Amino acid sequence: SAVISQKPSRDICQRGTSLTIQCQVDSQVTMMFWYRQQPGQSLTLIATANQGSEATYESGFVIDKFPISRPNLTFSTLTVSNMSPEDSSIYLCSVGISGHPNTEAFFGQGTRLTVV
Amino acid sequence: GENVGLHLPTLSVQEGDNSIINCAYSNSASDYFIWYKQESGKGPQFIIDIRSNMDKRQGQRVTVLLNKTVKHLSLQIAATQPGDSAVYFCAENLSQGAQKLVFGQGTRLTINP
């Protein structure tokens, strides 16, 4: 398993500003992902954070809005840029741990963002 | 704290009863399925998984059933306890890994004393 720490756990931000969310893992992992969970909704994958290269974004998500960094195998950041109230969500970091036979996904506790 | 899943389907059961949570998945090519439990203010927690070459898998108090013909997944929780109250999500993937999971809608399970 893996212990995943996200900071901040919650924040209230003004529209037009940006927030950077940090994800720290207690071990080196190859796969790191960022998900969004809008109020009353399920989880949607934003992007795969690739170490040493640009993140891979899913349909509907772009780098200018959600820039991601992955400087090493234990750390990643997600920035929510130029925020609007529609960005109010829980943002979750996830890591994939190779196992036998399957790779399991573990999640951080999430960052609850409210944009006013 | 604020609840996740305010508009989710709900299921209420009496403590000690068995519960069944259902999920319809979308991609017939999906090869790997997982059930997650999410308590208020926390991230999803892995419960049990199943590969597409199986139709049933059992864990401690939980059983997952997979019907690929109708693309249906269910989670059975035996002898429910108050700590089972949470939102439950199914997730699917095209490979035997946890990359790029596609999550279902979720169901809020409430255990009544």
PDB file of all heavy atoms in Angstrom, chain A residues 5-7 20-25 32-34 48-50 55 67-79 93-95:
ATOM      1  N   SER A   5      -0.368  11.944   1.033  1.00  0.00           N
ATOM      2  CA  SER A   5      -0.719  13.150   1.770  1.00  0.00           C
ATOM      3  C   SER A   5      -0.968  14.279   0.787  1.00  0.00           C
ATOM      4  O   SER A   5      -0.140  14.529  -0.087  1.00  0.00           O
ATOM      5  CB  SER A   5       0.414  13.540   2.725  1.00  0.00           C
ATOM      6  OG  SER A   5       0.677  12.497   3.640  1.00  0.00           O
ATOM      7  N   GLN A   6      -2.101  14.937   0.943  1.00  0.00           N
ATOM      8  CA  GLN A   6      -2.429  16.074   0.104  1.00  0.00           C
ATOM      9  C   GLN A   6      -2.489  17.341   0.949  1.00  0.00           C
ATOM     10  O   GLN A   6      -2.986  17.338   2.079  1.00  0.00           O
ATOM     11  CB  GLN A   6      -3.798  15.879  -0.577  1.00  0.00           C
ATOM     12  CG  GLN A   6      -3.761  15.010  -1.801  1.00  0.00           C
ATOM     13  CD  GLN A   6      -5.080  14.982  -2.541  1.00  0.00           C
ATOM     14  OE1 GLN A   6      -5.658  13.919  -2.729  1.00  0.00           O
ATOM     15  NE2 GLN A   6      -5.565  16.149  -2.954  1.00  0.00           N
ATOM     16  N   LYS A   7      -2.010  18.422   0.356  1.00  0.00           N
ATOM     17  CA  LYS A   7      -2.098  19.727   0.991  1.00  0.00           C
ATOM     18  C   LYS A   7      -2.551  20.770  -0.017  1.00  0.00           C
ATOM     19  O   LYS A   7      -2.087  20.735  -1.164  1.00  0.00           O
ATOM     20  CB  LYS A   7      -0.721  20.146   1.537  1.00  0.00           C
ATOM     21  CG  LYS A   7      -0.230  19.350   2.695  1.00  0.00           C
ATOM     22  CD  LYS A   7       1.117  19.898   3.166  1.00  0.00           C
ATOM     23  CE  LYS A   7       1.647  19.112   4.334  1.00  0.00           C
ATOM     24  NZ  LYS A   7       2.966  19.621   4.781  1.00  0.00           N
ATOM     25  N   THR A  20      -2.502  25.840  -5.934  1.00  0.00           N
ATOM     26  CA  THR A  20      -1.670  24.678  -6.206  1.00  0.00           C
ATOM     27  C   THR A  20      -1.848  23.658  -5.094  1.00  0.00           C
ATOM     28  O   THR A  20      -1.694  23.979  -3.908  1.00  0.00           O
ATOM     29  CB  THR A  20      -0.192  25.066  -6.329  1.00  0.00           C
ATOM     30  OG1 THR A  20      -0.034  25.924  -7.473  1.00  0.00           O
ATOM     31  CG2 THR A  20       0.684  23.836  -6.518  1.00  0.00           C
ATOM     32  N   ILE A  21      -2.176  22.448  -5.485  1.00  0.00           N
ATOM     33  CA  ILE A  21      -2.403  21.339  -4.558  1.00  0.00           C
ATOM     34  C   ILE A  21      -1.198  20.399  -4.629  1.00  0.00           C
ATOM     35  O   ILE A  21      -0.741  20.058  -5.720  1.00  0.00           O
ATOM     36  CB  ILE A  21      -3.684  20.571  -4.939  1.00  0.00           C
ATOM     37  CG1 ILE A  21      -4.886  21.522  -4.944  1.00  0.00           C
ATOM     38  CG2 ILE A  21      -3.919  19.407  -3.982  1.00  0.00           C
ATOM     39  CD1 ILE A  21      -6.129  20.933  -5.585  1.00  0.00           C
ATOM     40  N   GLN A  22      -0.713  20.002  -3.475  1.00  0.00           N
ATOM     41  CA  GLN A  22       0.451  19.136  -3.420  1.00  0.00           C
ATOM     42  C   GLN A  22       0.042  17.716  -3.055  1.00  0.00           C
ATOM     43  O   GLN A  22      -0.862  17.503  -2.266  1.00  0.00           O
ATOM     44  CB  GLN A  22       1.442  19.656  -2.379  1.00  0.00           C
ATOM     45  CG  GLN A  22       1.984  21.028  -2.666  1.00  0.00           C
ATOM     46  CD  GLN A  22       2.948  21.493  -1.592  1.00  0.00           C
ATOM     47  OE1 GLN A  22       3.266  20.773  -0.648  1.00  0.00           O
ATOM     48  NE2 GLN A  22       3.442  22.710  -1.746  1.00  0.00           N
ATOM     49  N   CYS A  23       0.759  16.763  -3.627  1.00  0.00           N
ATOM     50  CA  CYS A  23       0.550  15.342  -3.328  1.00  0.00           C
ATOM     51  C   CYS A  23       1.901  14.701  -3.051  1.00  0.00           C
ATOM     52  O   CYS A  23       2.782  14.708  -3.909  1.00  0.00           O
ATOM     53  CB  CYS A  23      -0.136  14.657  -4.506  1.00  0.00           C
ATOM     54  SG  CYS A  23      -0.390  12.879  -4.292  1.00  0.00           S
ATOM     55  N   GLN A  24       2.040  14.159  -1.849  1.00  0.00           N
ATOM     56  CA  GLN A  24       3.292  13.526  -1.432  1.00  0.00           C
ATOM     57  C   GLN A  24       3.021  12.062  -1.105  1.00  0.00           C
ATOM     58  O   GLN A  24       2.079  11.759  -0.359  1.00  0.00           O
ATOM     59  CB  GLN A  24       3.863  14.229  -0.196  1.00  0.00           C
ATOM     60  CG  GLN A  24       5.143  13.633   0.336  1.00  0.00           C
ATOM     61  CD  GLN A  24       6.333  13.967  -0.543  1.00  0.00           C
ATOM     62  OE1 GLN A  24       6.601  15.125  -0.850  1.00  0.00           O
ATOM     63  NE2 GLN A  24       7.066  12.939  -0.950  1.00  0.00           N
ATOM     64  N   VAL A  25       3.818  11.177  -1.660  1.00  0.00           N
ATOM     65  CA  VAL A  25       3.666   9.742  -1.422  1.00  0.00           C
ATOM     66  C   VAL A  25       4.857   9.249  -0.609  1.00  0.00           C
ATOM     67  O   VAL A  25       5.976   9.743  -0.783  1.00  0.00           O
ATOM     68  CB  VAL A  25       3.586   8.964  -2.749  1.00  0.00           C
ATOM     69  CG1 VAL A  25       3.172   7.512  -2.505  1.00  0.00           C
ATOM     70  CG2 VAL A  25       2.609   9.623  -3.701  1.00  0.00           C
ATOM     71  N   MET A  32       1.037   8.188 -11.148  1.00  0.00           N
ATOM     72  CA  MET A  32       0.307   9.150 -10.323  1.00  0.00           C
ATOM     73  C   MET A  32      -0.767   9.801 -11.177  1.00  0.00           C
ATOM     74  O   MET A  32      -0.540  10.097 -12.363  1.00  0.00           O
ATOM     75  CB  MET A  32       1.240  10.215  -9.744  1.00  0.00           C
ATOM     76  CG  MET A  32       2.208   9.687  -8.700  1.00  0.00           C
ATOM     77  SD  MET A  32       3.212  10.990  -7.948  1.00  0.00           S
ATOM     78  CE  MET A  32       2.024  11.746  -6.843  1.00  0.00           C
ATOM     79  N   PHE A  33      -1.917  10.022 -10.577  1.00  0.00           N
ATOM     80  CA  PHE A  33      -3.056  10.549 -11.309  1.00  0.00           C
ATOM     81  C   PHE A  33      -3.739  11.640 -10.490  1.00  0.00           C
ATOM     82  O   PHE A  33      -3.687  11.630  -9.263  1.00  0.00           O
ATOM     83  CB  PHE A  33      -4.082   9.433 -11.589  1.00  0.00           C
ATOM     84  CG  PHE A  33      -3.497   8.198 -12.186  1.00  0.00           C
ATOM     85  CD1 PHE A  33      -3.099   7.147 -11.381  1.00  0.00           C
ATOM     86  CD2 PHE A  33      -3.344   8.077 -13.555  1.00  0.00           C
ATOM     87  CE1 PHE A  33      -2.549   5.991 -11.928  1.00  0.00           C
ATOM     88  CE2 PHE A  33      -2.801   6.931 -14.111  1.00  0.00           C
ATOM     89  CZ  PHE A  33      -2.402   5.891 -13.295  1.00  0.00           C
ATOM     90  N   TRP A  34      -4.434  12.509 -11.192  1.00  0.00           N
ATOM     91  CA  TRP A  34      -5.261  13.519 -10.541  1.00  0.00           C
ATOM     92  C   TRP A  34      -6.708  13.354 -11.003  1.00  0.00           C
ATOM     93  O   TRP A  34      -6.967  13.246 -12.215  1.00  0.00           O
ATOM     94  CB  TRP A  34      -4.770  14.927 -10.868  1.00  0.00           C
ATOM     95  CG  TRP A  34      -3.501  15.284 -10.152  1.00  0.00           C
ATOM     96  CD1 TRP A  34      -2.235  15.217 -10.649  1.00  0.00           C
ATOM     97  CD2 TRP A  34      -3.388  15.763  -8.808  1.00  0.00           C
ATOM     98  NE1 TRP A  34      -1.329  15.627  -9.696  1.00  0.00           N
ATOM     99  CE2 TRP A  34      -2.012  15.960  -8.556  1.00  0.00           C
ATOM    100  CE3 TRP A  34      -4.303  16.031  -7.792  1.00  0.00           C
ATOM    101  CZ2 TRP A  34      -1.535  16.429  -7.328  1.00  0.00           C
ATOM    102  CZ3 TRP A  34      -3.830  16.493  -6.578  1.00  0.00           C
ATOM    103  CH2 TRP A  34      -2.466  16.692  -6.349  1.00  0.00           C
ATOM    104  N   THR A  48      -2.837  12.111 -16.123  1.00  0.00           N
ATOM    105  CA  THR A  48      -1.782  11.268 -15.582  1.00  0.00           C
ATOM    106  C   THR A  48      -0.536  12.125 -15.438  1.00  0.00           C
ATOM    107  O   THR A  48      -0.112  12.780 -16.405  1.00  0.00           O
ATOM    108  CB  THR A  48      -1.491  10.091 -16.531  1.00  0.00           C
ATOM    109  OG1 THR A  48      -2.689   9.345 -16.724  1.00  0.00           O
ATOM    110  CG2 THR A  48      -0.401   9.195 -15.966  1.00  0.00           C
ATOM    111  N   ALA A  49       0.033  12.144 -14.250  1.00  0.00           N
ATOM    112  CA  ALA A  49       1.239  12.933 -14.001  1.00  0.00           C
ATOM    113  C   ALA A  49       2.455  12.081 -14.325  1.00  0.00           C
ATOM    114  O   ALA A  49       2.700  11.070 -13.672  1.00  0.00           O
ATOM    115  CB  ALA A  49       1.275  13.385 -12.539  1.00  0.00           C
ATOM    116  N   ASN A  50       3.206  12.472 -15.320  1.00  0.00           N
ATOM    117  CA  ASN A  50       4.353  11.706 -15.782  1.00  0.00           C
ATOM    118  C   ASN A  50       5.637  12.317 -15.241  1.00  0.00           C
ATOM    119  O   ASN A  50       5.858  13.526 -15.376  1.00  0.00           O
ATOM    120  CB  ASN A  50       4.383  11.695 -17.310  1.00  0.00           C
ATOM    121  CG  ASN A  50       3.130  11.082 -17.905  1.00  0.00           C
ATOM    122  OD1 ASN A  50       2.720   9.992 -17.534  1.00  0.00           O
ATOM    123  ND2 ASN A  50       2.505  11.807 -18.826  1.00  0.00           N
ATOM    124  N   ALA A  55       2.381  16.112 -18.464  1.00  0.00           N
ATOM    125  CA  ALA A  55       1.253  15.275 -18.061  1.00  0.00           C
ATOM    126  C   ALA A  55       0.390  14.931 -19.266  1.00  0.00           C
ATOM    127  O   ALA A  55       0.351  15.658 -20.265  1.00  0.00           O
ATOM    128  CB  ALA A  55       0.433  16.000 -17.006  1.00  0.00           C
ATOM    129  N   PRO A  67      -2.358  22.963 -14.898  1.00  0.00           N
ATOM    130  CA  PRO A  67      -0.950  22.581 -15.031  1.00  0.00           C
ATOM    131  C   PRO A  67      -0.540  21.620 -13.921  1.00  0.00           C
ATOM    132  O   PRO A  67      -0.937  21.777 -12.764  1.00  0.00           O
ATOM    133  CB  PRO A  67      -0.200  23.912 -14.945  1.00  0.00           C
ATOM    134  CG  PRO A  67      -1.158  24.883 -14.359  1.00  0.00           C
ATOM    135  CD  PRO A  67      -2.532  24.413 -14.696  1.00  0.00           C
ATOM    136  N   ILE A  68       0.261  20.632 -14.295  1.00  0.00           N
ATOM    137  CA  ILE A  68       0.693  19.579 -13.379  1.00  0.00           C
ATOM    138  C   ILE A  68       2.211  19.475 -13.412  1.00  0.00           C
ATOM    139  O   ILE A  68       2.823  19.547 -14.479  1.00  0.00           O
ATOM    140  CB  ILE A  68       0.073  18.222 -13.781  1.00  0.00           C
ATOM    141  CG1 ILE A  68      -1.426  18.219 -13.488  1.00  0.00           C
ATOM    142  CG2 ILE A  68       0.760  17.056 -13.074  1.00  0.00           C
ATOM    143  CD1 ILE A  68      -2.163  17.015 -14.045  1.00  0.00           C
ATOM    144  N   SER A  69       2.803  19.313 -12.257  1.00  0.00           N
ATOM    145  CA  SER A  69       4.236  19.041 -12.188  1.00  0.00           C
ATOM    146  C   SER A  69       4.465  17.681 -11.548  1.00  0.00           C
ATOM    147  O   SER A  69       3.657  17.205 -10.740  1.00  0.00           O
ATOM    148  CB  SER A  69       4.961  20.117 -11.372  1.00  0.00           C
ATOM    149  OG  SER A  69       4.762  19.915  -9.980  1.00  0.00           O
ATOM    150  N   ARG A  70       5.554  17.031 -11.932  1.00  0.00           N
ATOM    151  CA  ARG A  70       5.934  15.739 -11.342  1.00  0.00           C
ATOM    152  C   ARG A  70       7.455  15.686 -11.344  1.00  0.00           C
ATOM    153  O   ARG A  70       8.076  15.039 -12.182  1.00  0.00           O
ATOM    154  CB  ARG A  70       5.348  14.591 -12.187  1.00  0.00           C
ATOM    155  CG  ARG A  70       5.740  13.214 -11.683  1.00  0.00           C
ATOM    156  CD  ARG A  70       4.772  12.638 -10.699  1.00  0.00           C
ATOM    157  NE  ARG A  70       5.282  11.435 -10.064  1.00  0.00           N
ATOM    158  CZ  ARG A  70       5.098  10.199 -10.533  1.00  0.00           C
ATOM    159  NH1 ARG A  70       4.416  10.004 -11.649  1.00  0.00           N
ATOM    160  NH2 ARG A  70       5.581   9.171  -9.881  1.00  0.00           N
ATOM    161  N   PRO A  71       8.075  16.368 -10.376  1.00  0.00           N
ATOM    162  CA  PRO A  71       9.538  16.473 -10.395  1.00  0.00           C
ATOM    163  C   PRO A  71      10.258  15.185 -10.028  1.00  0.00           C
ATOM    164  O   PRO A  71      11.422  15.010 -10.393  1.00  0.00           O
ATOM    165  CB  PRO A  71       9.808  17.556  -9.355  1.00  0.00           C
ATOM    166  CG  PRO A  71       8.630  17.512  -8.441  1.00  0.00           C
ATOM    167  CD  PRO A  71       7.460  17.154  -9.306  1.00  0.00           C
ATOM    168  N   ASN A  72       9.580  14.292  -9.294  1.00  0.00           N
ATOM    169  CA  ASN A  72      10.219  13.021  -8.918  1.00  0.00           C
ATOM    170  C   ASN A  72       9.138  11.960  -8.712  1.00  0.00           C
ATOM    171  O   ASN A  72       7.954  12.209  -8.982  1.00  0.00           O
ATOM    172  CB  ASN A  72      11.077  13.215  -7.662  1.00  0.00           C
ATOM    173  CG  ASN A  72      10.280  13.789  -6.501  1.00  0.00           C
ATOM    174  OD1 ASN A  72       9.231  13.259  -6.134  1.00  0.00           O
ATOM    175  ND2 ASN A  72      10.770  14.877  -5.926  1.00  0.00           N
ATOM    176  N   LEU A  73       9.546  10.799  -8.243  1.00  0.00           N
ATOM    177  CA  LEU A  73       8.618   9.663  -8.149  1.00  0.00           C
ATOM    178  C   LEU A  73       7.770   9.662  -6.881  1.00  0.00           C
ATOM    179  O   LEU A  73       6.998   8.726  -6.662  1.00  0.00           O
ATOM    180  CB  LEU A  73       9.415   8.350  -8.242  1.00  0.00           C
ATOM    181  CG  LEU A  73      10.086   8.085  -9.593  1.00  0.00           C
ATOM    182  CD1 LEU A  73      10.897   6.800  -9.534  1.00  0.00           C
ATOM    183  CD2 LEU A  73       9.056   7.993 -10.704  1.00  0.00           C
ATOM    184  N   THR A  74       7.920  10.684  -6.044  1.00  0.00           N
ATOM    185  CA  THR A  74       7.125  10.716  -4.810  1.00  0.00           C
ATOM    186  C   THR A  74       6.275  11.971  -4.680  1.00  0.00           C
ATOM    187  O   THR A  74       5.562  12.130  -3.684  1.00  0.00           O
ATOM    188  CB  THR A  74       8.039  10.638  -3.569  1.00  0.00           C
ATOM    189  OG1 THR A  74       8.876  11.806  -3.525  1.00  0.00           O
ATOM    190  CG2 THR A  74       8.908   9.375  -3.597  1.00  0.00           C
ATOM    191  N   PHE A  75       6.307  12.864  -5.643  1.00  0.00           N
ATOM    192  CA  PHE A  75       5.665  14.166  -5.460  1.00  0.00           C
ATOM    193  C   PHE A  75       5.062  14.671  -6.767  1.00  0.00           C
ATOM    194  O   PHE A  75       5.625  14.500  -7.845  1.00  0.00           O
ATOM    195  CB  PHE A  75       6.699  15.180  -4.941  1.00  0.00           C
ATOM    196  CG  PHE A  75       6.131  16.520  -4.579  1.00  0.00           C
ATOM    197  CD1 PHE A  75       5.452  16.703  -3.385  1.00  0.00           C
ATOM    198  CD2 PHE A  75       6.291  17.608  -5.430  1.00  0.00           C
ATOM    199  CE1 PHE A  75       4.940  17.944  -3.038  1.00  0.00           C
ATOM    200  CE2 PHE A  75       5.778  18.853  -5.099  1.00  0.00           C
ATOM    201  CZ  PHE A  75       5.111  19.024  -3.897  1.00  0.00           C
ATOM    202  N   SER A  76       3.894  15.325  -6.632  1.00  0.00           N
ATOM    203  CA  SER A  76       3.259  15.952  -7.782  1.00  0.00           C
ATOM    204  C   SER A  76       2.437  17.126  -7.297  1.00  0.00           C
ATOM    205  O   SER A  76       2.016  17.180  -6.128  1.00  0.00           O
ATOM    206  CB  SER A  76       2.357  14.954  -8.521  1.00  0.00           C
ATOM    207  OG  SER A  76       1.694  15.572  -9.624  1.00  0.00           O
ATOM    208  N   THR A  77       2.226  18.095  -8.174  1.00  0.00           N
ATOM    209  CA  THR A  77       1.331  19.201  -7.875  1.00  0.00           C
ATOM    210  C   THR A  77       0.334  19.377  -9.003  1.00  0.00           C
ATOM    211  O   THR A  77       0.636  19.103 -10.173  1.00  0.00           O
ATOM    212  CB  THR A  77       2.076  20.532  -7.678  1.00  0.00           C
ATOM    213  OG1 THR A  77       2.665  20.947  -8.910  1.00  0.00           O
ATOM    214  CG2 THR A  77       3.147  20.419  -6.610  1.00  0.00           C
ATOM    215  N   LEU A  78      -0.857  19.813  -8.622  1.00  0.00           N
ATOM    216  CA  LEU A  78      -1.908  20.191  -9.569  1.00  0.00           C
ATOM    217  C   LEU A  78      -2.286  21.625  -9.261  1.00  0.00           C
ATOM    218  O   LEU A  78      -2.571  21.959  -8.105  1.00  0.00           O
ATOM    219  CB  LEU A  78      -3.123  19.289  -9.408  1.00  0.00           C
ATOM    220  CG  LEU A  78      -4.400  19.731 -10.145  1.00  0.00           C
ATOM    221  CD1 LEU A  78      -4.267  19.484 -11.643  1.00  0.00           C
ATOM    222  CD2 LEU A  78      -5.628  19.018  -9.591  1.00  0.00           C
ATOM    223  N   THR A  79      -2.269  22.475 -10.270  1.00  0.00           N
ATOM    224  CA  THR A  79      -2.708  23.858 -10.104  1.00  0.00           C
ATOM    225  C   THR A  79      -4.050  24.041 -10.788  1.00  0.00           C
ATOM    226  O   THR A  79      -4.233  23.602 -11.935  1.00  0.00           O
ATOM    227  CB  THR A  79      -1.676  24.835 -10.680  1.00  0.00           C
ATOM    228  OG1 THR A  79      -0.431  24.675  -9.975  1.00  0.00           O
ATOM    229  CG2 THR A  79      -2.149  26.276 -10.528  1.00  0.00           C
ATOM    230  N   CYS A  93      -5.585  13.057  -5.483  1.00  0.00           N
ATOM    231  CA  CYS A  93      -4.375  12.457  -6.029  1.00  0.00           C
ATOM    232  C   CYS A  93      -4.480  10.937  -5.860  1.00  0.00           C
ATOM    233  O   CYS A  93      -4.975  10.458  -4.829  1.00  0.00           O
ATOM    234  CB  CYS A  93      -3.166  13.002  -5.273  1.00  0.00           C
ATOM    235  SG  CYS A  93      -1.596  12.217  -5.660  1.00  0.00           S
ATOM    236  N   SER A  94      -4.035  10.213  -6.847  1.00  0.00           N
ATOM    237  CA  SER A  94      -4.082   8.758  -6.792  1.00  0.00           C
ATOM    238  C   SER A  94      -2.761   8.187  -7.299  1.00  0.00           C
ATOM    239  O   SER A  94      -2.127   8.771  -8.184  1.00  0.00           O
ATOM    240  CB  SER A  94      -5.233   8.247  -7.657  1.00  0.00           C
ATOM    241  OG  SER A  94      -5.197   6.838  -7.791  1.00  0.00           O
ATOM    242  N   VAL A  95      -2.361   7.062  -6.746  1.00  0.00           N
ATOM    243  CA  VAL A  95      -1.151   6.388  -7.229  1.00  0.00           C
ATOM    244  C   VAL A  95      -1.484   4.936  -7.529  1.00  0.00           C
ATOM    245  O   VAL A  95      -2.374   4.341  -6.909  1.00  0.00           O
ATOM    246  CB  VAL A  95      -0.006   6.443  -6.201  1.00  0.00           C
ATOM    247  CG1 VAL A  95       0.317   7.891  -5.867  1.00  0.00           C
ATOM    248  CG2 VAL A  95      -0.326   5.666  -4.940  1.00  0.00           C
TER     249      VAL A  95
END
